[in-house]
Amino acid sequence: MRLFRMLASVVLVATTNLRARWGRALVALIAVMLGVALVAGVTTGYSSARQTILDWNYSWVGQSQVHIQPLPGQTVVDALPQKLADRIGALPGVKQVVTRQKKSLTIPADQFPQGQENQVVDGYGIQVGGEEKVRPSGLRLAAGRLLAPDGGHEVLIEKALSKRLGKGVGDELVIKGFGSNEGKFRIVGVLERPRLGLISRQDLDEVVPDLVMMSQKDLEELWQGFFPMFGPGPIDLDSIDVVLTAASTPAMQEADRRIEELADSGDRDLRLAVRHSQIELAVDRLDQLDRNMRLFRLLSRLVSVVALLTASYIIFTTLGMGMVQRQAELGMLRCVGAGRVQIALSTVAEAVPIAILGTLLGIGLGLGAAKGVTVYYSQFFTRMVVSQQGLFWAGVGGVASVALAVSLPVYLATRVSPLAASRPQSKAMPFSLDLAVGLAGLGLIALSFWLRSTKLPWVQTEFQAALVYMTVGVPVLFLGYFLVAPLVVATVGRAVKYVAALLVWVRPQLVHDQIQTARWRTAATFCALMVGISMLVNLRVHSQSIMKGWELPADMPPGFIFFYPELDRSQLDEVKSLPDVENPLPMMAIWARYRPPDEKGDHSEETHILAGPILEMSKLVTLNFQEIQGGHDGKWAMEEFAKGGAIFATREFAARYNVRAGDVAQFYREHNYRDKAVGLRVVAIVEAPALNMAIDFLNVRDRFSTVASGSVVCSIVDANRVLLQTGVPETQAGPVNLTDPRLTRMLLFDFAKGRTTKDVAEDLDALNSRRLAQGHEGIHYYAGSIQDLLQMISGEFEAVVAILQKIALWAMALASLGVGFAMAANVQSRRRQLAVLRAIGMTRFQLARLVLAEAVTIALIGSLLGIIHGVHLAVNANHFDKHLFGLPTKLTLQPQTMALAIGFAVLCCLVASVLPAMRAGRTNILAALRHV
Amino acid sequence: MPHPYWRGRLISEKILHIENLVKVYGSGSTAVRALDGVNLEVHSGRFVAVMGSSGSGKSTLLHMIGGLDRPSGGHIHIRGQEITSLSDSQLTLFRRRHLGIIFQSFNLLPMLTAEQNIALPLMLDGRPKREVRARVAELMDICRLTHRADHLPDALSGGEQQRVAIARALMNEPALLLADEPTGNLDSSTAEAILAFLRRLVSDMNKTVVMVTHEPKAAALSDVLVVLRDGCIIERADLDGSGDTAKVIAHYNRDM
């Protein structure tokens, strides 16, 4: 009971102190709140983006446990027989089979309000009642209703198409199918099409056609007669979704095995269908999704850690400043018998409500902001998903950051001597202590280096290493810089004060006095600023390093056309002969998975494969040979490459999978073709700084769903072998013709004289009109120039960097709160000194300038350390880019970046110090001199 | 009934006993001997004034007695308890229960009311609320602060603030009350009232007070005058507490 009463007295002191000094408490509260809000917001944003991608995936591949679709290019019609769906439906453990058909349809020009041309759309024949179950996110209604089970000639159309048509629910729509088949449909619903923000870009909209959905019966009618020999009847399937009675991983694997066994049932159709299909399990899809979300995860981890560290610095500054201000009070408490533990508890009791309230408010604010973003950008986010793990870490992080920030002030408070009651003046820390602590800080920075470059025993992959570094290495690095800060003030501060004094025109000695006697306070103040600046510098230096790392070869063809789906030989020939296309150079960029020789580790990351004629490859990327099989020269390697069955592997790929020149690398795409992986001999290890980036940006379809570990280069024929997987398609007899590129996704070319992208696009449109008139499908393309590509790349980088820069600016704004408070506390604690200066003739304006000079000094030192810190972070980011994503980088420091960082820091500090400076200027001489 | 002045002196107890007290600041050539072999005895119910010029060691002596600082050598006994050998926590407990300290700058906690400031030592000791309330009420009555109970220090005059500080110092019924220039921040009439109050504490309540001051007028109210110079006691004179300033000045000047 007595102990309880003793604690109650401590709480009374703490709570009254909080009430009395509410301004300080408010600053700390805001710091915690914003830090936690950022964590909650970022993690919720991450979860929501993940869910959006999931929804996006599900809208195409379904939410079933097993999804089967034909491998492109394997058969004439790229379809699965209904027979396969029936047999799968009869397998044990299968609850339901939902099928989907897809065919190209045409909406006649007269259906559009202003004489547009016929538009090709993707027509889906869905199993009414089943589709909604496996693909609910693909059937999000913007208006109207879904298809009725007994309704005929009803159609659902995409919102964008609805706008273009100027038609909505209840309107009639004429749709053409094969040949002269035509049907009149009633629009019963308008669909929202879930898209991830980046995927909704205009260029992809042009590539991916709009969709319409109808019953399978209606689609069959529109495509009646395509196979005259079969007569009317069900058309082949685009996909089969299998819902199992048990959704467990073993059940999915068992179903997968049983489906593959159907190939051995003796039925030729089933054998071909199974061999030519890709069977995808939900568990693998989620696994792949998580791989693809790595960059987001890393970024969200980094942003969260930095936000909490910034909050921590500010709380430390405000509470630490409080300790300095309250030395006499604490000394008095010690005089009247308060023990060290009681003093410590009193300080902790002040922080507890800040931690709890700040965390709760922060979580609320973060979720509110995330909700706002998902509602405002509803076209990019299908829904908001609260990450429970994120909230947990936001809560723990909020409390931990307060605990971290309060630990030193608590310690300092317990060390306050009772003598402070009569002699509260704080003494400057000895330089030897600055030196010792600075050396400890350098040790921590070295430890952070070690953490980055050493693979810890329990860390399995590069990604885990990156996550560990973001969680442990980054805080260690920040702490290291924090500890170095007082030493920097003691050394560099002496020089910087002259610059600051010159800027605001005051005597340097006056500035020096304050900065040097309160080095630790100054250091704590600018550390919060340093975090923001370092983020800003890091982002800019990092993005510039990436841009610089990808240098295009000088003779790269200026134009390119991207095709989706890939072109076959005859289509390619037609495109090659377009009047405005010269020197066409077909290229492919695909992804595949590397199969390790030991067969361990079920799924390796995806590897980018760039394919093209070897002699022309140098026009796209610069290849530097590092190691060649058998010590041969580059000419030999290129000859081997041209023969086929050979690849060049990038250094990142070789390091990732421990592959040497001369080894055979096995590649496969879908796990059910794992056993039939295509072996390609690594004839050379190359350094190709632009390769990963080139592939990434050329491979538009897969770019957002593929995260690669290194790249390889091969011929188009070999790429097709990997793409087709079985090596020799069963529909074709004889060996593969190594000179016949069957599927081409990319065509580089020179523009005919005076011609532009627009002319080439017109050529392609004309070609499509001819093809459609002849009853062929149109070619889906995206034509552009390398200039467009460069703008696209830089635009995208700038967009991402701009978002991250906003976070950095948030950190800076947060930091300026701390600076403002620190300056106000400085002014308060120096009232007497300021009064003396006034008494001996200093004007109000001069006093105000003195305070501003200190703020500028803090800004200059803070930005100096922030720049070093930011460059350090950028070096780390470049390291992870290279090792994790295979992105080439070249450290690039631009003077503008440094100037921007310094300028912004000075501005922040000046703005934050205006009020304290005005307050200093208004110091009442008599009152201040009376006040002790 | 004896005259209040004599009350307590009739059964005098040795409250403070200082033996060869030494305090050295710094080391080597820069060492300063703030106290250099101080010996002093103070009995209960006595009002001791410590005078000396600036830097003579008078505040240092008070800090040593109050356990606020550690001596370099010698011993301090308060009510028979040797305090220089106590650990930090033991010393804290000793201060909490046996000593009262008053400062020139009052040192009230600005966010607590007068009543809460006074109650603080017993609250920190975990005493029952009823006991604390009763003691606070008694002291507020003695110090004539009842009408200011709920006021924050900022709202009090200098004299009232110092009376709150004195009440707080008396809260634990200390064996020894230490006052470091308690009137240094007060105007003359308020200072007189505070000194008279301290005098009454000794005379009427048998408290023992050791007060550091540089004002002869304040020292004139004490029973014993101790004059320090260069860390040594150079004069110890019995006064009668009558307020005879001339006598104090004479003792002080003779030795200075």
Side-chain angles (χ1 to χ4, degrees), chain A residues 742-763:
Chain A
R742 292 182 63 245
L743 296 162
T744 303
R745 186 172 279 183
M746 183 79 199
L747 191 74
L748 297 180
F749 64 94
D750 293 328
F751 288 104
K753 196 173 178 189
R755 297 301 181 170
T756 62
T757 308
K758 196 176 162 214
D759 299 316
V760 173
E762 282 173 3
D763 291 348

Short mmCIF file of all heavy atoms in Angstrom, two decimals, chain A residues 742-763:
data_model
loop_
_atom_site.label_atom_id
_atom_site.label_comp_id
_atom_site.label_asym_id
_atom_site.label_seq_id
_atom_site.Cartn_x
_atom_site.Cartn_y
_atom_site.Cartn_z
N ARG A 742 9.35 -18.36 -83.97
CA ARG A 742 7.90 -18.56 -84.09
C ARG A 742 7.10 -17.46 -83.36
O ARG A 742 6.03 -17.08 -83.79
CB ARG A 742 7.51 -19.91 -83.53
CG ARG A 742 8.04 -21.06 -84.37
CD ARG A 742 7.60 -22.38 -83.81
NE ARG A 742 6.17 -22.53 -83.84
CZ ARG A 742 5.42 -22.62 -82.74
NH1 ARG A 742 5.98 -22.56 -81.55
NH2 ARG A 742 4.12 -22.77 -82.84
N LEU A 743 7.62 -17.04 -82.25
CA LEU A 743 6.83 -16.08 -81.48
C LEU A 743 7.70 -14.87 -81.13
O LEU A 743 8.70 -15.00 -80.47
CB LEU A 743 6.34 -16.73 -80.17
CG LEU A 743 5.38 -17.90 -80.36
CD1 LEU A 743 5.31 -18.72 -79.11
CD2 LEU A 743 4.01 -17.37 -80.73
N THR A 744 7.28 -13.75 -81.59
CA THR A 744 8.08 -12.55 -81.35
C THR A 744 7.24 -11.53 -80.62
O THR A 744 6.08 -11.31 -80.96
CB THR A 744 8.55 -11.96 -82.69
OG1 THR A 744 9.27 -12.97 -83.38
CG2 THR A 744 9.43 -10.75 -82.48
N ARG A 745 7.80 -10.94 -79.59
CA ARG A 745 7.05 -9.98 -78.80
C ARG A 745 7.47 -8.55 -79.08
O ARG A 745 6.79 -7.61 -78.76
CB ARG A 745 7.25 -10.32 -77.33
CG ARG A 745 6.42 -9.49 -76.40
CD ARG A 745 6.49 -9.98 -75.01
NE ARG A 745 5.59 -11.09 -74.81
CZ ARG A 745 5.42 -11.69 -73.62
NH1 ARG A 745 6.09 -11.29 -72.59
NH2 ARG A 745 4.58 -12.69 -73.50
N MET A 746 8.66 -8.41 -79.65
CA MET A 746 9.24 -7.08 -79.71
C MET A 746 9.89 -6.87 -81.06
O MET A 746 10.54 -7.78 -81.58
CB MET A 746 10.30 -7.07 -78.60
CG MET A 746 10.99 -5.80 -78.41
SD MET A 746 9.92 -4.74 -77.48
CE MET A 746 10.71 -3.25 -77.91
N LEU A 747 9.70 -5.71 -81.62
CA LEU A 747 10.39 -5.41 -82.88
C LEU A 747 11.04 -4.04 -82.74
O LEU A 747 10.36 -3.05 -82.49
CB LEU A 747 9.37 -5.39 -84.03
CG LEU A 747 9.99 -5.35 -85.43
CD1 LEU A 747 10.58 -6.70 -85.78
CD2 LEU A 747 8.94 -4.97 -86.46
N LEU A 748 12.36 -4.04 -82.87
CA LEU A 748 13.07 -2.75 -82.89
C LEU A 748 13.25 -2.37 -84.35
O LEU A 748 13.46 -3.24 -85.20
CB LEU A 748 14.43 -2.88 -82.21
CG LEU A 748 14.43 -3.24 -80.73
CD1 LEU A 748 15.86 -3.33 -80.22
CD2 LEU A 748 13.67 -2.20 -79.92
N PHE A 749 13.21 -1.11 -84.65
CA PHE A 749 13.34 -0.71 -86.06
C PHE A 749 13.82 0.74 -86.19
O PHE A 749 13.77 1.51 -85.21
CB PHE A 749 11.99 -0.88 -86.78
CG PHE A 749 10.91 0.03 -86.24
CD1 PHE A 749 10.65 1.27 -86.82
CD2 PHE A 749 10.16 -0.34 -85.14
CE1 PHE A 749 9.68 2.10 -86.32
CE2 PHE A 749 9.17 0.49 -84.64
CZ PHE A 749 8.93 1.72 -85.22
N ASP A 750 14.24 1.06 -87.40
CA ASP A 750 14.55 2.47 -87.72
C ASP A 750 13.33 3.04 -88.43
O ASP A 750 12.70 2.33 -89.24
CB ASP A 750 15.76 2.56 -88.66
CG ASP A 750 17.03 2.10 -87.97
OD1 ASP A 750 17.13 2.31 -86.75
OD2 ASP A 750 17.89 1.51 -88.65
N PHE A 751 13.00 4.27 -88.14
CA PHE A 751 11.89 4.91 -88.84
C PHE A 751 12.31 5.23 -90.28
O PHE A 751 13.46 5.62 -90.51
CB PHE A 751 11.50 6.23 -88.14
CG PHE A 751 10.82 6.02 -86.83
CD1 PHE A 751 11.50 6.22 -85.64
CD2 PHE A 751 9.50 5.59 -86.77
CE1 PHE A 751 10.88 6.04 -84.41
CE2 PHE A 751 8.88 5.40 -85.55
CZ PHE A 751 9.57 5.61 -84.38
N ALA A 752 11.38 5.02 -91.21
CA ALA A 752 11.65 5.49 -92.57
C ALA A 752 11.81 7.01 -92.51
O ALA A 752 11.27 7.66 -91.61
CB ALA A 752 10.49 5.11 -93.48
N LYS A 753 12.54 7.55 -93.45
CA LYS A 753 12.92 8.96 -93.37
C LYS A 753 11.69 9.87 -93.17
O LYS A 753 10.71 9.77 -93.90
CB LYS A 753 13.65 9.35 -94.66
CG LYS A 753 14.40 10.65 -94.49
CD LYS A 753 15.25 10.98 -95.69
CE LYS A 753 15.93 12.32 -95.45
NZ LYS A 753 16.60 12.80 -96.64
N GLY A 754 11.78 10.68 -92.17
CA GLY A 754 10.72 11.65 -91.89
C GLY A 754 9.49 11.07 -91.22
O GLY A 754 8.50 11.77 -91.02
N ARG A 755 9.52 9.77 -90.91
CA ARG A 755 8.35 9.15 -90.33
C ARG A 755 8.46 9.10 -88.80
O ARG A 755 9.55 9.12 -88.22
CB ARG A 755 8.18 7.72 -90.87
CG ARG A 755 7.94 7.68 -92.37
CD ARG A 755 6.69 8.48 -92.71
NE ARG A 755 6.39 8.47 -94.13
CZ ARG A 755 5.25 8.93 -94.62
NH1 ARG A 755 4.33 9.45 -93.84
NH2 ARG A 755 5.04 8.90 -95.92
N THR A 756 7.30 9.02 -88.17
CA THR A 756 7.27 9.03 -86.70
C THR A 756 6.46 7.83 -86.17
O THR A 756 5.92 7.05 -86.95
CB THR A 756 6.60 10.32 -86.18
OG1 THR A 756 5.24 10.31 -86.66
CG2 THR A 756 7.30 11.57 -86.65
N THR A 757 6.37 7.77 -84.86
CA THR A 757 5.60 6.70 -84.22
C THR A 757 4.16 6.70 -84.73
O THR A 757 3.57 5.65 -84.95
CB THR A 757 5.59 6.94 -82.69
OG1 THR A 757 6.92 7.13 -82.26
CG2 THR A 757 4.99 5.78 -81.95
N LYS A 758 3.62 7.91 -84.92
CA LYS A 758 2.24 8.03 -85.34
C LYS A 758 2.02 7.36 -86.72
O LYS A 758 1.04 6.64 -86.93
CB LYS A 758 1.88 9.53 -85.42
CG LYS A 758 0.40 9.79 -85.47
CD LYS A 758 0.14 11.28 -85.46
CE LYS A 758 -1.29 11.52 -85.96
NZ LYS A 758 -1.44 12.73 -86.70
N ASP A 759 2.99 7.56 -87.61
CA ASP A 759 2.88 6.96 -88.94
C ASP A 759 2.91 5.44 -88.84
O ASP A 759 2.14 4.75 -89.52
CB ASP A 759 4.04 7.45 -89.83
CG ASP A 759 3.98 8.96 -90.00
OD1 ASP A 759 2.87 9.47 -90.23
OD2 ASP A 759 5.03 9.62 -89.87
N VAL A 760 3.80 4.92 -87.99
CA VAL A 760 3.90 3.47 -87.85
C VAL A 760 2.60 2.93 -87.25
O VAL A 760 2.10 1.87 -87.68
CB VAL A 760 5.12 3.11 -86.94
CG1 VAL A 760 5.13 1.61 -86.64
CG2 VAL A 760 6.41 3.52 -87.63
N ALA A 761 2.03 3.66 -86.30
CA ALA A 761 0.78 3.23 -85.68
C ALA A 761 -0.33 3.20 -86.74
O ALA A 761 -1.15 2.28 -86.76
CB ALA A 761 0.40 4.16 -84.54
N GLU A 762 -0.31 4.18 -87.62
CA GLU A 762 -1.32 4.21 -88.70
C GLU A 762 -1.15 3.01 -89.62
O GLU A 762 -2.13 2.39 -90.06
CB GLU A 762 -1.23 5.52 -89.48
CG GLU A 762 -1.88 6.68 -88.73
CD GLU A 762 -1.63 8.01 -89.42
OE1 GLU A 762 -1.02 8.04 -90.51
OE2 GLU A 762 -2.06 9.04 -88.85
N ASP A 763 0.12 2.67 -89.93
CA ASP A 763 0.41 1.49 -90.76
C ASP A 763 -0.17 0.24 -90.11
O ASP A 763 -0.78 -0.60 -90.77
CB ASP A 763 1.93 1.29 -90.90
CG ASP A 763 2.58 2.37 -91.75
OD1 ASP A 763 1.82 3.13 -92.39
OD2 ASP A 763 3.82 2.46 -91.74
#
